[in-house]
Amino acid sequence: GAVVSQHPSRVICKSGTSVKIECRSLDFQATTMFWYRQFPKQSLMLMATSNEGSKATYEQGVEKDKFLINHASLTLSTLTVTSAHPEDSSFYICSARDPGDYGYTFGSGTRLTVV
Amino acid sequence: GEDVEQSLFLSVREGDSSVINCTYTDSSSTYLYWYKQEPGAGLQLLTYIFSNMDMKQDQRLTVLLNKKDKHLSLRIADTQTGDSAIYFCAESGGSYIPTFGRGTSLIVHP
């Protein structure tokens, strides 16, 4: 089946620095990928839709200058958390859909801790 | 209210059956999904059902859909400790983009 690889799985960074998270579709091409944020004991909150070759679409309330998304190829989307602060600490998950599938495949997630 | 609702917790004994319930509001839903999330991991698609189906069985998993009541359930037969996880119900239209419930934490006691 379709595989979505997400790296890193865990990252700890200092407040004020930037962190890049990668999401790759390993055996299919994805013109669209999605980035979610998950708080403890809560559901997934869709942050943005990453579109290959064009600007990302952000959900209401998500700061596009804080969460930079780049989808430069059909198999790679990146999420950069800029000037990270402790309140950005969370679990970030990406997803993509193989055109041959009926559901979305999710990456394994990235646990970001900002100290 | 929320578009997809599910109870937050379910506790069962090992070997018993687990039934996780979900209700949704969008009558135009085309696909309904169950995802499993283990601690610290991403979501794994367990199974899905088309809106024109009533039931789907896959080994220990049985999905029942009552489209009239917009009710979806997941039954896990012979529940094992390895089934302990959070189970998310989700629905989507033709775009396949899922709308998730808040997840049900399934706790399996030995």
Side-chain angles (χ1 to χ4, degrees):
Chain A
V3 177
V4 172
S5 175
Q6 186 173 342
H7 291 281
S9 57
R10 289 179 180 272
V11 58
I12 300 173
C13 70
K14 290 186 177 180
S15 191
T17 62
S18 295
V19 173
K20 181 186 284 188
I21 303 170
E22 291 189 349
C23 181
R24 292 180 186 273
S25 56
L26 293 189
D27 47 4
F28 64 98
Q29 294 183 334
T31 56
T32 303
M33 292 185 176
F34 296 92
W35 287 96
Y36 293 85
R37 182 173 179 176
Q38 186 179 32
F39 294 97
K41 301 190 187 302
Q42 292 193 25
S43 188
L44 293 89
M45 180 191 80
L46 179 62
M47 299 175 64
T49 303
S50 173
N51 303 298
E52 188 268 336
S54 64
K55 290 183 179 180
T57 306
Y58 290 83
E59 296 299 304
Q60 190 173 2
V62 177
E63 301 175 60
K64 60 181 180 181
D65 295 330
K66 157 70 83 173
F67 300 100
L68 298 180
I69 290 172
N70 184 281
H71 194 153
S73 78
L74 286 171
T75 58
L76 174 64
S77 174
T78 60
L79 168 68
T80 301
V81 183
T82 63
S83 186
H85 291 284
E87 56 266 30
D88 298 324
S89 298
S90 194
F91 193 59
Y92 294 87
I93 311 176
C94 68
S95 75
R97 187 178 72 87
D98 183 337
D101 288 345
Y102 290 104
Y104 274 79
T105 301
F106 286 77
S108 53
T110 297
R111 171 69 60 192
L112 170 63
T113 304
V114 184
V115 297
Chain B
E2 293 182 356
D3 295 327
V4 180
E5 292 193 8
Q6 50 185 128
S7 55
L8 295 182
F9 299 99
L10 177 64
S11 178
V12 299
R13 287 189 185 276
E14 190 173 20
D16 288 350
S17 292
S18 307
V19 179
I20 304 172
N21 295 300
C22 169
T23 57
Y24 59 98
T25 58
D26 189 352
S27 58
S28 65
S29 296
T30 305
Y31 307 99
L32 296 122
Y33 309 92
W34 285 103
Y35 284 87
K36 176 183 180 181
Q37 184 182 34
E38 298 185 8
L43 274 69
Q44 172 195 356
L45 178 62
L46 280 180
T47 186
Y48 63 89
I49 189 169
F50 297 116
S51 61
N52 61 358
M53 296 169 64
D54 298 323
M55 185 185 85
K56 181 177 181 180
Q57 187 155 0
D58 183 1
Q59 300 182 334
R60 292 191 298 124
L61 305 179
T62 303
V63 178
L64 294 178
L65 174 61
N66 182 328
K67 192 173 181 181
K68 175 177 171 289
D69 294 339
K70 300 190 188 66
H71 181 269
L72 183 74
S73 68
L74 174 68
R75 179 177 180 270
I76 306 173
D78 187 24
T79 313
Q80 302 297 307
T81 54
D83 295 323
S84 293
I86 301 176
Y87 291 81
F88 288 94
C89 171
E91 60 86 18
S92 75
S95 69
Y96 308 102
I97 301 171
T99 298
F100 290 94
R102 294 186 63 186
T104 299
S105 289
L106 174 64
I107 300 168
V108 183
H109 298 284

